[in-house]
Amino acid sequence: MTSIGGAEMVDWNLAVATATRLVRPGPEVSRDEARAVVAELRRHAKASEGHVRGFTRMGTDDIHDTPVLVVDRPGWVRANVAGFREILKPLLGKMQERRGGSPGGAMLGAVGGKVTGVELGMLLSFLASRVLGQYETFAPATRELPAGENGGGRLLLVAPNIVHVERELDVHPHDFRLWVCLHEETHRTQFSAVPWLRDHLEGEIQSFLGETDVDPMTVLERIREAAQSLAGSRPEAEEDDGGRSFVELVQTPAQREILGRLTAVMSLLEGHADFVMDGVGPQVVPSVAEIREKFQQRRAKGASRLDIALRKLLGLDAKLRQYRDGERFVRAVVDQVGMDGFNRVWTSPNTLPTKAEIAKPADWIARVHRKAES
C-alpha cells in the first residue's frame, strides 16, 4: 500500500512484534511430542476431507488448492496480519488519501500507525491463544505461509491451542484432534465447493468498510456516543443499545444492515461446520459425545472474568451465538428437506438465508423450496 510521507495507517510489522511479544507461551511439550502432534494433525486433516465430502455431498476437485498449515501462536498472528492487510487495503488507502491533504498528515500518520499497530498487536495476542483452527478466506501467499494459487485460501491448525484445550477438558487427544479437523475441513470444503462464496463475502466486507466514516472527528463522535451508551449516561439508548457490543455501537445504520447479512452467512457457515462435525463424529470419533459436552461448557463460561468482558466488548459473544443459531438452522432444514435439499443454500447469494430466516428455518424452506417447486 502506498504510504504518505513514508508512514502507513497501520504499522503492520509492529503489530506482529507486539502480538508475538505479548502472546502467552503454549503448553509444555517435548520436541518429539510436538513433532508427533503436528504429524497427527496433518493426518487428521487429510482424513477429514473424505469424511466431510461424503457427509455433506459437496464434492470438489479444487480443495487441494488450499494448503493445510499446522502453526504455532506467532504463526497464526503472522497469517492474520497478512489477511488483515489484504482485506483492509481499500479502506486504509482511502483514509490515507484523506489524511495526506491535512496539515501535519505525514507526522500524524507515523505516530498513528504505530499506535494502531500496538493496539492490533494486543488484540491478536489475546486471540492467538484461543483459536484452534481457522480457514483464511482472503489469505495472500507469503514466503512462510503459502496459499491457494487459484484464489483459494489456507487452512490453519494452531497446534499449541489444540493441545492446551484437550488437556484442559481432559479428553482423548486423538479424538479431539480429529474432531477439530472435521470442523475446520468443513469450512475448507464450503469455500472450495462453492466458487462464488469468497467473492460474495469479500463484496459484502468491502461494502461494509466503504461505509466507514473516514473523518476522524466523525469517528470520535460516534465512539463518544458509544461510550456514553455503555456507561448508561444516555437513558434513551438503554433499551436499544443494551445488548450491543462496542463494535456494533460505532457502526452506521448502513453498516448494521450489511452486518446483518454477514451475520447470517457466518451463522450458516459456523453452524454447518458444527452440524457436520457432530454428524460425522459418531462414526470416526468414539468419544464425540463427551467432547461436545465439555467443549460446549467451555464455550459458554469462558476462561475468566476478563475473558468474558473482552468477548462482550469485541462482539465475540455474537460468534458464540452464530454457532448455536446456525447449527439449529442447518439441523432443522436437513430434518425437513434432507441434505440435498439443504444444499440448495449454496446455489447463489439469493439462496443464502437472511438473519431472520436463520431464526426461522421454515421461512427459508418456504422461500427457496416452494418458490422453486411452483
Side-chain angles (χ1 to χ4, degrees), residues 14-244:
L14 183 58
V16 172
T18 301
T20 53
R21 185 176 68 251
L22 295 178
V23 70
R24 293 180 294 180
E28 291 188 11
V29 295
S30 67
R31 181 170 297 182
D32 288 343
E33 185 179 4
R35 288 173 178 165
V37 170
V38 170
E40 184 174 21
L41 286 172
R42 286 176 175 156
R43 290 196 303 271
H44 285 330
K46 179 64 177 177
S48 294
E49 291 180 18
H51 296 317
V52 170
R53 294 171 70 176
F55 183 80
T56 62
R57 302 177 191 171
M58 296 173 69
T60 171
D61 295 328
D62 296 330
I63 198 164
H64 299 291
D65 185 44
T66 56
V68 177
L69 307 178
V70 182
V71 298
D72 58 9
R73 290 170 177 175
W76 180 87
V77 168
R78 289 191 292 271
N80 276 266
V81 166
F84 282 145
R85 191 171 188 169
E86 184 72 16
I87 199 68
L88 292 176
K89 269 184 180 179
L91 172 63
L92 295 183
K94 183 170 67 172
M95 295 179 73
Q96 196 94 317
E97 291 175 5
R98 180 101 173 229
R99 189 192 62 200
S102 63
M107 182 166 51
L108 286 173
V111 175
K114 292 189 179 299
V115 171
T116 307
V118 170
E119 291 172 340
L120 177 59
M122 293 173 66
L123 171 60
L124 289 172
S125 72
F126 169 76
L127 296 174
S129 61
R130 287 158 173 78
V131 176
L132 301 182
Q134 174 185 357
Y135 182 80
E136 277 203 294
T137 315
F138 309 107
T142 68
R143 183 182 303 174
E144 295 178 321
L145 298 162
E149 296 179 359
N150 300 316
R154 58 183 167 230
L155 181 60
L156 305 179
L157 297 169
V158 191
N161 295 350
I162 293 172
V163 172
H164 171 78
V165 173
E166 70 191 28
R167 290 179 178 179
E168 179 186 325
L169 298 181
D170 190 24
V171 293
H172 193 289
H174 172 86
D175 287 2
F176 184 74
R177 294 166 193 175
L178 177 55
W179 189 71
V180 171
C181 287
L182 289 170
H183 181 101
E184 302 307 332
E185 180 60 36
T186 303
H187 289 317
R188 187 168 173 240
T189 297
Q190 289 164 347
F191 284 92
S192 299
V194 186
W196 54 264
L197 185 56
R198 180 188 184 277
D199 291 340
H200 173 71
L201 270 181
E202 184 175 16
E204 291 281 57
I205 291 170
Q206 292 304 333
S207 295
F208 180 89
L209 296 176
E211 290 291 333
T212 301
D213 290 311
V214 294
D215 176 32
M217 293 308 296
T218 303
V219 174
L220 287 174
E221 177 64 20
R222 187 166 294 118
I223 291 173
R224 184 185 66 81
E225 293 176 358
Q228 289 176 345
S229 296
L230 291 170
S233 58
R234 290 177 58 206
E236 70 276 12
E238 288 179 1
E239 183 175 348
D240 292 337
D241 294 340
R244 293 181 185 168

Side-chain angles (χ1 to χ4, degrees), residues 245-291:
S245 69
F246 179 80
V247 174
E248 291 174 300
L249 287 169
V250 298
Q251 291 163 4
T252 66
Q255 284 176 314
R256 291 191 186 115
E257 183 178 340
I258 298 168
L259 184 64
R261 297 195 298 268
L262 280 170
T263 298
V265 176
M266 296 312 296
S267 296
L268 170 69
L269 298 179
E270 296 293 357
H272 183 233
D274 265 12
F275 177 78
V276 173
M277 182 170 58
D278 288 343
V280 174
Q283 284 75 47
V284 297
V285 183
S287 60
V288 64
E290 177 192 1
I291 292 173

